[in-house]
Amino acid sequence: MTRDMDRAELHLFDALAWRLGRIQPGLREGRYRGRMRGSGEAFADVADFLAHPDPRRLDLRRSLVDPFGGFFVRRFERQTDLVLHILLDASASLGVGASSDRQGLAALVSGGLAQAARRGGDKAALHVVGASGGLVHAPPSRQAGLGDDIRAMVLGCVPAGQGVEELARVASGLPLRRNLVALVSDFDLAPVELDRLLAALAPRPVVPVWLRDSGLETPSGRLGLSEIRDPETGRRRTVLTSPGWAARHIEEGENHRGKLRRVFATHGLRAVEIRDSIDIDHLIAALGEAPL
């Protein structure tokens, strides 16, 4: 029964569609605009017949008006396929939650995006960085059950990473062409770290998916002692909580998130923010507006 419910959740992502605003170079026929010219459907340009000798595409009108008596052929855009690379930040903070299971959300998002890519005829790959035991990787595939497999792989990880060095290294090694990167993270990072990570991903098209937890962002202001776990290191410490402490924590968090949003904007990006749970309609709309 649980597995059937899991599959039903993944199928909610089938309605997602990838929109690439840039031209994708490639050879394999697919759904996205490519730099290759040939016998596609969308008109691209006119070229000299000697350079592209295809009499089937002869442009009679352009050839007849050429003052030098040259012959020209019409060229068309060929469509290319796409590989969705899901880059998951499995730092220790992913395992910390107050109002949500952020690792469970990461697993659902990753599996759902892979499901959507496969249903659209594209491939999906998974790269989990920061898990205990090292890099977790699933190569590009469009096999049946891909969404279920990727979701299970993420759920099986133990978040343990710190910093962005390894994440940036993996990001810089991703293919530059014919791909889309879904960067899934809680982005519990300093602005300079986020800037370094996004710079490593450039110039690839990126959709950041930001997993937020309202309980961590708005703690209780009740007076007393509370054991707080540092999201990034996992270390625990005891603090005296009070309405004033909670107000300062909320204000500092809002200021920090504002700084991160400005870093995203500097790189021409806008994160898809998921707070506690997934609203699939909001996710579809946000991805449709993503500045790719």
Side-chain angles (χ1 to χ4, degrees), residues 173-250:
L174 295 177
L176 288 171
R177 298 179 175 181
R178 296 165 54 194
N179 67 17
L180 171 63
V181 180
L183 175 60
V184 183
S185 174
D186 56 31
F187 293 111
D188 197 349
L189 305 170
V192 66
E193 291 179 312
L194 178 60
D195 182 69
R196 190 186 318 154
L197 174 57
L198 297 180
L201 282 166
R204 303 164 184 85
V206 178
V207 175
V209 180
W210 191 347
L211 305 177
R212 296 174 50 192
D213 186 296
S214 62
L216 296 177
E217 296 174 0
T218 56
S220 170
R222 289 176 297 183
L223 184 63
L225 294 176
S226 295
E227 188 178 60
I228 304 297
R229 181 181 179 186
D230 185 281
E232 201 60 38
T233 66
R235 295 178 180 175
R236 297 181 180 275
R237 59 190 177 92
T238 301
V239 299
L240 176 63
T241 59
S242 66
W245 171 85
R248 288 192 302 273
H249 181 90
I250 292 171

Side-chain angles (χ1 to χ4, degrees), residues 125-198:
L126 175 68
H127 316 267
V128 181
V129 181
S132 177
L135 176 69
V136 176
H137 173 66
S141 171
R142 60 168 64 93
Q143 67 182 16
L146 180 63
D148 290 319
D149 293 343
I150 284 183
R151 186 179 188 181
M153 290 175 70
V154 174
L155 287 174
C157 294
V158 178
Q162 298 181 33
V164 297
E165 287 75 15
E166 181 65 11
L167 197 60
R169 185 190 67 79
V170 174
S172 63
L174 295 177
L176 288 171
R177 298 179 175 181
R178 296 165 54 194
N179 67 17
L180 171 63
V181 180
L183 175 60
V184 183
S185 174
D186 56 31
F187 293 111
D188 197 349
L189 305 170
V192 66
E193 291 179 312
L194 178 60
D195 182 69
R196 190 186 318 154
L197 174 57
L198 297 180

Side-chain angles (χ1 to χ4, degrees), residues 46-164:
V46 174
D48 188 273
F49 177 78
L50 294 178
H52 301 274
D54 185 354
R56 299 171 301 171
R57 309 293 172 186
L58 190 65
D59 189 326
L60 293 177
R61 178 177 299 179
R62 178 67 176 83
S63 301
L64 288 173
V65 299
D66 183 67
F68 301 103
F71 291 92
F72 295 87
V73 293
R74 296 166 62 87
R75 298 195 302 169
F76 298 82
E77 289 181 351
R78 293 176 58 187
Q79 304 298 300
T80 65
D81 67 343
L82 175 74
V83 177
L84 171 67
H85 289 271
I86 303 166
L87 180 59
L88 174 61
D89 173 17
S91 57
S93 56
L94 187 68
V96 180
S99 298
S100 65
D101 173 10
R102 289 197 288 189
Q103 184 173 354
L105 283 175
L108 179 57
V109 168
S110 299
L113 293 179
Q115 169 85 4
R118 178 183 176 276
R119 294 281 289 185
D122 299 312
K123 293 182 179 180
L126 175 68
H127 316 267
V128 181
V129 181
S132 177
L135 176 69
V136 176
H137 173 66
S141 171
R142 60 168 64 93
Q143 67 182 16
L146 180 63
D148 290 319
D149 293 343
I150 284 183
R151 186 179 188 181
M153 290 175 70
V154 174
L155 287 174
C157 294
V158 178
Q162 298 181 33
V164 297

